[in-house]
Amino acid sequence: MKTERLLAIIMILLDKKQVSASQLAETLEVSVRTIYRDINSLSEAGIPVTTSPGVKGGIQIMDNYKIDKHFFTSADITSLLIALESLSTNVSPLQINQTFEKIKTLVPSGFMEEIEFKTNQIAIDLTPWTSNHTLQPFLEIVKFGMDQQRLLSFDYADNKGRKTTRIVEPYRLVLKEISWYLQAYCEEKSDFRTFKISRMLNLSLSSSTFVPREFKAKPLGKEPFYGKNFTITTLKVTHKIKEQLIDKFGQLSFYPSNDSEKLIVEFPFMEDEFGYNLLLGFGNQCECLEPPHVRTELRRRIENLLELYQKS
């Protein structure tokens, strides 16, 4: 969110001429130290920001500097507002509202109605169907840690249930499908690691700070679906499953089966836990017809599940 904050600082300074660091810190809900780091970033980017000491001193932009509001088209501002709206479920409402108001100052006179109309044409709702009451406070702690360059500590359970306690330097939050991840430098592993937020427990912010390392973002986990080796399977599915397959994998070729209520589709299947769990998750609305070895493995897994529930 640093880019949004830098833009907000510029707009505040253009509007109020001179502001103290403490006033900026209070308005943007960050520390004074963060404000001074932001001012240095603006100076390095060529923005003529100056500071003056004393009771009547403060931070200001040189009088001959201005941003032409017409530099931003209505399409540019619409895109910014839509992007902010999509974050509203994971960022505090106060922060979103403040940013909205600052971006609206960029709107050329007479264009506000048009931009509001265009913004309402697209809605991005990232809210999951089921709620996680710890997610919002955890995201706020992580974002504060990144902003203040403070260490985070938490208990972590990996995908095999193994539990460890980690102390990390937070660098990046990533939203992948419906899950949030933290990319951080782990002191225990002496390397960068990716942690799933939902697997964290007892997350806390340390009073210790860290000096940022060189961080290069890496893609999360698995390769994209199209980069995998897959097996062509023949599935018999209901119309409901057809919609789910299209949502996840794009357009596939479906054709009627002898059973008029179901469809046949040739599906590129990944022979791993993800693939088998995907098909089994469709229940009795999906049947694998071919190849035989995939059908046999699905049957073995179903029998193991049945045996589990038949135990007294």
Side-chain angles (χ1 to χ4, degrees):
M1 315 322 179
K2 181 177 179 179
T3 302
E4 296 169 6
R5 193 172 64 246
L6 294 177
L7 177 61
I9 291 174
I10 293 173
M11 301 314 299
I12 292 172
L13 294 179
L14 288 174
D15 180 52
K16 296 186 177 181
K17 304 298 183 183
Q18 181 172 285
V19 184
S20 69
S22 59
Q23 287 175 316
L24 283 174
E26 182 179 355
T27 300
L28 300 175
E29 298 182 312
V30 295
S31 68
V32 172
R33 186 174 65 174
T34 296
I35 292 298
Y36 281 119
R37 285 203 303 265
D38 288 344
I39 296 304
N40 287 334
S41 297
L42 290 174
S43 297
E44 291 172 359
I47 309 297
V49 181
T50 62
T51 59
S52 54
V55 178
K56 296 183 179 180
I59 302 168
Q60 60 187 358
I61 292 181
M62 293 176 61
D63 292 338
N64 61 350
Y65 181 82
K66 66 178 181 178
I67 292 180
D68 185 353
K69 292 184 177 182
H70 294 279
F71 176 78
F72 292 94
T73 67
S74 61
D76 293 332
I77 298 173
T78 298
S79 297
L80 285 170
L81 294 177
I82 290 173
L84 283 175
E85 184 68 32
S86 70
L87 292 174
S88 60
T89 56
N90 294 306
V91 179
S92 64
L94 176 61
Q95 181 178 348
I96 286 291
N97 290 338
Q98 289 176 341
T99 308
F100 257 94
E101 294 306 313
K102 294 178 181 68
I103 289 182
K104 285 180 180 179
T105 64
L106 298 173
V107 178
S109 178
F111 281 81
M112 194 66 234
E113 186 175 342
E114 175 191 350
I115 287 175
E116 287 182 344
F117 174 76
K118 289 182 177 179
T119 302
N120 290 329
Q121 287 180 321
I122 300 177
I124 302 174
D125 187 353
L126 299 177
T127 309
W129 292 107
T130 55
S131 62
N132 179 345
H133 68 279
T134 63
L135 177 61
Q136 179 66 34
F138 274 25
L139 289 178
E140 293 297 330
I141 292 173
V142 171
K143 285 188 293 183
F144 192 80
M146 290 190 295
D147 187 65
Q148 300 292 317
Q149 296 173 1
R150 301 258 291 275
L151 294 174
L152 300 175
S153 65
F154 52 86
D155 297 326
Y156 192 72
D158 65 17
N159 57 6
K160 294 184 180 179
R162 296 171 298 201
K163 295 181 180 180
T164 55
T165 298
R166 304 295 184 100
I167 298 176
V168 305
E169 301 170 3
Y171 285 92
R172 190 183 192 217
L173 273 171
V174 182
L175 176 62
K176 180 76 170 179
E177 289 193 338
I178 63 171
S179 299
W180 281 95
Y181 298 83
L182 169 64
Q183 294 182 325
Y185 184 87
C186 177
E187 290 191 352
E188 178 184 346
K189 301 297 184 181
S190 298
D191 198 3
F192 287 96
R193 290 290 188 269
T194 298
F195 302 95
K196 195 172 185 177
I197 300 294
S198 61
R199 292 179 184 158
M200 293 180 179
L201 291 171
N202 304 318
L203 174 64
S204 63
L205 188 69
S206 169
S207 59
S208 301
T209 60
F210 63 90
V211 177
R213 305 168 191 268
E214 182 180 359
F215 169 71
K216 294 183 179 179
K218 296 181 180 179
L220 292 184
K222 295 183 177 181
E223 300 173 1
F225 175 74
Y226 53 77
K228 286 280 190 177
N229 293 322
F230 51 79
T231 301
I232 298 299
T233 58
T234 302
L235 306 180
K236 182 191 286 188
V237 301
T238 63
H239 286 271
K240 180 179 179 179
I241 300 304
K242 173 187 175 182
E243 292 182 11
Q244 294 183 42
L245 289 176
I246 290 175
D247 285 343
K248 282 185 172 290
F249 304 102
Q251 288 295 332
L252 300 168
S253 297
F254 294 84
Y255 54 92
S257 68
N258 295 331
D259 183 343
S260 61
E261 295 183 356
K262 294 186 178 180
L263 302 166
I264 300 294
V265 59
E266 289 190 345
F267 176 68
F269 174 72
M270 292 180 284
E271 294 191 51
D272 57 10
E273 286 299 311
F274 171 83
Y276 282 107
N277 289 338
L278 174 71
L279 295 188
L280 290 173
F282 293 144
N284 63 0
Q285 297 188 71
C286 172
E287 178 186 0
C288 176
L289 303 178
E290 294 180 349
H293 76 277
V294 173
R295 182 180 174 90
T296 299
E297 175 60 18
L298 285 167
R299 179 171 179 170
R300 184 189 69 81
R301 291 172 180 246
I302 293 171
E303 288 173 347
N304 288 343
L305 183 62
L306 180 61
E307 181 181 351
L308 175 66
Y309 280 93
Q310 285 178 334
K311 291 179 181 179
S312 57

